Amino acid sequence: MPEKLDMFCYQCSQTVGGTGCTVQGVCGKTATVARLQDNLMFATKGMAAYLYHARELGHTDVEIDAFLERVFYATFTNVNFDANDLVRFATEAGEMNLRTMRMLKEAHIEAYGEPLPTKVSTGTVKGHAIIATGHGLRALEELLKQTEGKGINVYTHSELLPAHGYPGLKKYKHLAGNLGKAWFDQKKLFSEVPAAILVTSNCVLLPKDEYKDRIFTTGPTKLPGVKHINGYDFSEVIEKALSLPELPDAPGEVTLTTGFSLSTLLPLKDKIKELVESGKIKHFFLVGGCDAPLRKSTYYREFVQNLPSDTVVLTLACGKFRFNDLDLGDIEGIPRLIDLGQCNDSIVAIDFAVALADMFGVGVNDLPLTLVLSWMEQKAVAILWSLLSLGIKGIYLGPILPAWVNDDILKVLQDNYDLRLIGEPKEDIARMLS
């Protein structure tokens, strides 16, 4: 259990029960308690998103549902004001999120097969077009079924890029490529590309007038003044796409690679062990997470660009768009840049790290592995606590602290989990490799 948290009172801005405290905590919620409740709110929202997509594919878990019930009751109805118990809750949320991510991964594999490494075009081919954004593979599958043979090309955007690796989705020849990068480029991208747009999940922005009449939402996502589709009948999206001008045949400047699953990585274990023991692979980095339109987010591209050629980068979620266009080459057949998929595919990274640790006969914290994670919100908060619940230490975090962290919470995270904040890329790399 982490060390006891000091609590500060909203009302008198003093340590509860300490010198200067005027109410001895009787005013109820303290700043630290409120922030820890916010943390649980973010983490459980992230879990709920994963659960929604798993349920779309027929997978549920009553134990996870029961946990969410306890969290909602204990925190959001102002029943639990115990800071240390809220930290325990957060750790349990991390454990439950591991279970959630594993269930969603199993649902995806059951529905679409094990992902395979796949090259993905970033340009356009001649024809009418629909851009699908978000995280919903079920919605994408239904869209592909309904557009087959209609002269419409379907493009993914942001977190749907990994869909290209699934055999059950890549079999559709009109799944033509990926346009754009992380979620926040959509206003520019959607304005410039005359395509119909289908939003399958969160990470959507209020639309500009330039494309408001050709964007559609489905599932839990809704936008003011935008047509919402209940269920999976996308005939209106198809009609809109056919009414728009065809896109030109315009190859992209880069080709992306995605689709590295556990079944792809595990057969490489012996080769990786050989390369590590011979000194040809010195270190692994997991660099990923949620991207954000923040100035310091350029850190992640500079970080990857400055890594030595004897290192390997695992990546996932939309944070990879900061650098996944880089050609890092390979080390005797082992790619130096390995895209594991969506944010929920963190479970693949975790299982692979555990497999490597078992192979080398060490703990995960003893592997030549450093985690460098970006922007903590919702799903990323849930994943952070999943990593902490496993006892993983020395995680680097940035470009800013999560909004729910104050000095006291940060001290506990640093003292108990050796959580570190990113600095300058070259200095951080030197520190990580020392």
Side-chain angles (χ1 to χ4, degrees):
M1 171 67 69
E3 67 185 48
K4 184 176 175 60
L5 284 163
D6 290 329
M7 295 188 293
F8 289 84
C9 177
Y10 271 144
Q11 184 166 320
C12 60
S13 300
Q14 300 288 334
T15 303
V16 172
T19 304
C21 177
T22 61
V23 293
Q24 297 297 300
V26 297
C27 57
K29 189 182 293 186
T30 65
T32 295
V33 164
R35 287 171 179 267
L36 289 170
Q37 288 180 336
D38 288 344
N39 162 53
L40 278 169
M41 176 181 69
F42 284 125
T44 51
K45 283 168 66 177
M47 288 175 61
Y50 294 151
L51 289 169
Y52 175 87
H53 293 302
R55 188 180 293 274
E56 279 188 296
L57 296 170
H59 289 244
T60 60
D61 187 317
V62 293
E63 288 193 35
I64 298 171
D65 295 343
F67 169 75
L68 293 176
E69 178 185 284
R70 286 192 292 114
V71 171
F72 294 157
Y73 182 61
T75 59
F76 305 143
T77 58
N78 287 328
V79 172
N80 188 336
F81 297 104
D82 186 325
N84 293 286
D85 194 55
L86 292 172
V87 173
R88 183 195 62 76
F89 249 137
T91 303
E92 189 178 356
E95 295 168 353
M96 284 294 172
N97 187 56
L98 287 170
R99 187 177 179 124
T100 302
M101 291 191 296
R102 182 163 281 112
M103 179 174 67
L104 179 54
K105 188 63 185 178
E106 290 171 355
H108 283 162
I109 291 172
E110 179 182 296
Y112 310 119
E114 281 272 8
L116 298 169
T118 302
K119 294 187 180 299
V120 183
S121 167
T122 57
T124 61
V125 295
K126 184 173 176 56
H128 299 288
I130 298 174
I131 301 172
T133 188
H135 303 74
L137 296 189
R138 169 74 191 281
L140 176 62
E141 178 193 24
E142 295 298 331
L143 179 65
L144 289 168
K145 287 179 181 178
Q146 294 170 41
T147 50
E148 194 168 22
K150 287 186 167 62
I152 297 174
N153 295 309
V154 175
Y155 299 86
T156 56
H157 170 251
S158 194
E159 281 276 67
L160 277 178
L161 167 64
H164 293 267
Y166 286 93
L169 298 174
K170 64 186 293 185
K171 70 181 182 182
Y172 294 96
K173 302 304 180 185
H174 62 298
L175 181 60
N178 186 82
L179 300 181
K181 296 190 176 184
W183 59 272
F184 55 83
D185 76 355
Q186 58 190 261
K187 289 193 175 185
K188 181 176 184 297
L189 174 70
F190 296 168
S191 295
E192 293 175 348
V193 180
I197 303 146
L198 179 64
V199 180
T200 67
S201 76
N202 60 307
C203 297
V204 61
L205 301 174
L206 292 175
K208 297 177 69 174
D209 290 341
E210 287 90 330
Y211 60 88
K212 193 172 184 178
D213 67 332
R214 52 187 172 86
I215 186 170
F216 301 80
T217 59
T218 189
T221 311
K222 292 188 178 182
L223 294 167
V226 167
K227 175 67 178 180
H228 181 76
I229 297 169
N230 292 311
Y232 301 101
D233 180 357
F234 299 130
S235 55
E236 289 184 74
V237 186
I238 293 170
E239 182 181 350
K240 175 59 70 174
L242 291 172
S243 74
L244 296 167
E246 292 188 345
L247 300 189
D249 191 3
E253 295 182 358
V254 299
T255 299
L256 306 177
T257 302
T258 190
F260 288 89
S261 66
L262 198 60
S263 64
T264 300
L265 296 176
L266 289 182
L268 301 176
K269 280 196 312 176
D270 291 340
K271 180 65 175 179
I272 289 172
K273 183 178 182 181
E274 173 191 324
L275 293 172
V276 171
E277 291 177 341
S278 66
K280 294 179 180 178
I281 293 180
K282 293 287 180 58
H283 208 85
F284 295 88
F285 294 90
L286 175 62
V287 187
C290 298
D291 198 3
L294 303 172
R295 182 179 59 82
K296 200 174 180 182
S297 292
T298 57
Y299 169 97
Y300 297 92
R301 185 177 184 87
E302 187 178 346
F303 179 89
V304 173
Q305 285 177 316
N306 282 281
L307 289 174
S309 60
D310 55 6
T311 61
V312 172
V313 178
L314 305 170
T315 191
L316 44 79
C318 65
K320 63 174 168 277
F321 284 104
R322 287 285 171 176
F323 52 81
N324 68 341
D325 60 323
L326 297 173
D327 183 2
L328 301 185
D330 66 88
I331 302 174
E332 294 191 9
I334 304 299
R336 288 198 56 231
L337 182 58
I338 298 174
D339 178 9
L340 301 176
Q342 296 180 325
C343 51
N344 57 282
D345 291 317
S346 298
I347 195 65
V348 177
I350 290 168
D351 288 346
F352 183 55
V354 170
L356 288 180
D358 289 344
M359 181 176 64
F360 285 107
V362 299
V364 171
N365 287 320
D366 298 314
L367 287 171
L369 168 67
T370 302
L371 280 64
V372 187
L373 307 180
S374 56
W375 196 35
M376 292 288 107
E377 57 75 56
Q378 297 179 9
K379 297 172 184 175
V381 171
I383 292 168
L384 175 63
W385 282 104
S386 290
L387 296 170
L388 297 181
S389 74
L390 292 169
I392 295 176
K393 297 185 176 182
I395 297 171
Y396 282 75
L397 201 62
I400 58 175
L401 276 173
W404 47 271
V405 173
N406 62 10
D407 290 343
D408 301 297
I409 296 172
L410 178 60
K411 184 177 186 301
V412 169
L413 292 174
Q414 289 177 326
D415 290 349
N416 291 276
Y417 302 107
D418 192 23
L419 191 73
R420 304 175 184 186
L421 305 182
I422 63 170
E424 295 302 319
K426 290 183 180 179
E427 294 175 6
D428 286 347
I429 291 170
R431 181 182 178 189
M432 294 169 188
L433 296 177
S434 63

